[in-house]
Amino acid sequence: MTQHASPPRSSTGKVQPAGPRPAWRSLVARADVRTLSLLGVLLALVVVGGITKPDEFLDTRNLQLVLTQASVIGVVTVGMTFVITSGGIDLSVGAVVALASVWATTVATQDFGFAGILFTAMIVGLGCGLVNGVLIAYGSMVPFIATLAMLASARGLALQITDGKTQIVSVEGILKLGERDSYVLGIPPLVLVFAVVTIIGWFVLNRTTFGRRTVAVGGNAEAARLAGIDVRRQRLYLYLLSGLCCGIAAFLLIILSGSGQNTNGNLYELDAIAAAIIGGTLLSGGRGTITGSVLGVLIFTTITNIFALNNLQSDVQQIAKGAIIVAAVLVQRRTASTT
């Protein structure tokens, strides 16, 4: 008499699935609804741009411009995402970008060439991040106040260095990076740098101990301290990271504009915070997403481009951005209340 093999059972007596789950089911199970929603919004904006100004919006040069403009604020947003995930805030990022850009484009700095400009921009960013971190982590100063003070100080110092004048870059290596001849397979160098920063940021936040500590500090700083995490040192590192991102963004802005101005980075802090929030990073801390933040940056940059191509006033653009931010926060609150 032929015996039929019984289906495998678990230790609890329940019948286990005969085989692995289909790949598409696993993909759907892992899919981030928020990320898919942001991709849907971005796609909708591309469709709108393609319908309203098909010849201009879908032109390769315009798409390259959108990505290039997104790269500068995008690098800042990566650093901001880490800070907000930890439960902090950094209002000084725009001013730090301005200070780093003008300090790196002084005549004395340009005498050291390409390396001198890059090194100065990053050191200035790190220095400002260090001051913020020390005041907040070891001085027990509220992040809002500490970074607001840095905002005012950095703007004032940038104005003092430039005396209100634009500092033109004369270093050939910098100027060539802004030309189309330097594009790699049609991709501007700034976009490549943004992509590298994004990948590194995603890996650090999601696959390293540093990222897990950042989330833990943002979720419950006291519980993180009791678990053995040096909360103060972690916060110091995070503001250093934000300052470094500002330094990199300043260097990209120098390449993009070929100059340094004390007005650079105007309102970058608001754009970076807004992009992180609509991307899914909790303003209260404890959850952050680099992918969502990058999509937020692309959404805002695309909106700006569409409005510019259609000759719409900037005030309408700001209203649209504000509506998107409010909608994103409401979705966050609704999601939090149902979990």
Side-chain angles (χ1 to χ4, degrees), residues 301-324:
T301 308
T302 304
I303 290 175
T304 301
N305 183 259
I306 292 174
F307 273 65
L309 291 177
N310 287 276
N311 297 318
L312 297 176
Q313 296 181 353
S314 60
D315 54 351
V316 180
Q317 177 187 145
Q318 297 302 324
I319 293 173
K321 287 184 177 181
I324 292 175

Side-chain angles (χ1 to χ4, degrees), residues 176-193:
K176 286 182 178 179
L177 285 177
E179 299 175 355
R180 295 187 61 84
D181 292 340
S182 65
Y183 289 11
V184 180
L185 299 177
I187 303 175
L190 276 68
V191 179
L192 295 176
V193 173

Side-chain angles (χ1 to χ4, degrees), residues 105-195:
T105 54
T106 60
V107 175
T109 303
Q110 292 193 50
D111 287 340
F112 292 94
F114 184 99
I117 293 177
L118 174 60
F119 178 78
T120 302
M122 297 181 68
I123 286 298
V124 171
L126 282 170
C128 293
L130 177 62
V131 173
N132 283 335
V134 169
L135 291 175
I136 294 168
Y138 295 96
S140 300
M141 190 173 288
V142 178
F144 182 90
I145 300 301
T147 57
L148 184 62
M150 176 58 73
L151 182 156
S153 301
R155 281 289 178 194
L157 184 55
L159 179 59
Q160 188 177 51
I161 291 175
T162 62
D163 195 24
K165 301 176 182 178
T166 300
Q167 298 178 164
I168 305 300
V169 176
S170 58
V171 179
E172 286 296 326
I174 298 291
L175 298 176
K176 286 182 178 179
L177 285 177
E179 299 175 355
R180 295 187 61 84
D181 292 340
S182 65
Y183 289 11
V184 180
L185 299 177
I187 303 175
L190 276 68
V191 179
L192 295 176
V193 173
F194 177 36

Side-chain angles (χ1 to χ4, degrees), residues 56-71 180 183-188 190-191 256 301 305:
E56 299 175 40
F57 180 79
L58 297 178
D59 183 73
T60 302
R61 289 177 178 269
N62 184 64
L63 295 179
Q64 290 172 336
L65 175 63
V66 171
L67 291 176
T68 301
Q69 292 175 337
S71 298
R180 295 187 61 84
Y183 289 11
V184 180
L185 299 177
I187 303 175
L190 276 68
V191 179
L256 183 62
T301 308
N305 183 259

Side-chain angles (χ1 to χ4, degrees), residues 274 277-278 300 318-334:
I277 290 174
I278 73 168
F300 278 143
Q318 297 302 324
I319 293 173
K321 287 184 177 181
I324 292 175
I325 294 171
V326 171
V329 172
L330 290 176
V331 169
Q332 279 193 0
R333 291 176 61 88
R334 183 177 181 83

